[in-house]
Amino acid sequence: MLQLAKYNAFCVEYSSLAGCEVTNRNEDTDCLIDELLKGKTPEEILGAHGLIKHMTKRMVERALQAEFTAHLGYEPHERGPVPRDNTEMATAPRPS
């Protein structure tokens, strides 16, 4: 939910900077896309190193990072929860 709130805040701020009059989210998204594609050639958008390829890559990376964060229960580079007893092999007693 935090990511969605950040995205919504970004869209509203960017749309106002781009001079878009926004009344709903679809118009907001369309305005952002129009601004992003302005002045680009089809090759710059669809080519081997084009915008679509880079955007797809970043979206997949962000989705995977969000899924991983949700699975672990903490953000990257944060300390995770303290390990429970017998969770590390080095601390477990060896059988005799």
Side-chain angles (χ1 to χ4, degrees), residues 33-73:
I33 291 171
D34 291 344
E35 189 68 25
L36 188 64
L37 298 179
K38 189 186 305 181
K40 301 269 194 272
T41 65
E43 180 65 26
E44 291 173 321
I45 298 168
L46 302 170
H49 302 288
L51 182 63
I52 296 292
K53 184 172 185 169
H54 289 289
M55 293 290 291
T56 303
K57 178 180 183 280
R58 289 298 299 138
M59 288 177 67
V60 169
E61 287 173 349
R62 289 179 112 179
L64 289 173
Q65 185 61 49
E67 184 177 339
F68 195 61
T69 298
H71 175 72
L72 291 177

Side-chain angles (χ1 to χ4, degrees), residues 78-90:
E78 285 184 1
R79 251 196 142 92
V82 178
R84 297 180 308 220
D85 292 337
N86 202 20
T87 57
E88 294 187 26
M89 293 297 290

Side-chain angles (χ1 to χ4, degrees), residues 11-56:
C11 288
V12 169
E13 181 179 339
Y14 186 82
S15 294
S16 64
L17 291 175
C20 299
E21 184 66 34
V22 177
T23 58
N24 68 39
R25 188 169 177 147
N26 286 336
E27 289 178 15
D28 189 31
T29 303
D30 288 345
C31 184
L32 290 172
I33 291 171
D34 291 344
E35 189 68 25
L36 188 64
L37 298 179
K38 189 186 305 181
K40 301 269 194 272
T41 65
E43 180 65 26
E44 291 173 321
I45 298 168
L46 302 170
H49 302 288
L51 182 63
I52 296 292
K53 184 172 185 169
H54 289 289
M55 293 290 291
T56 303

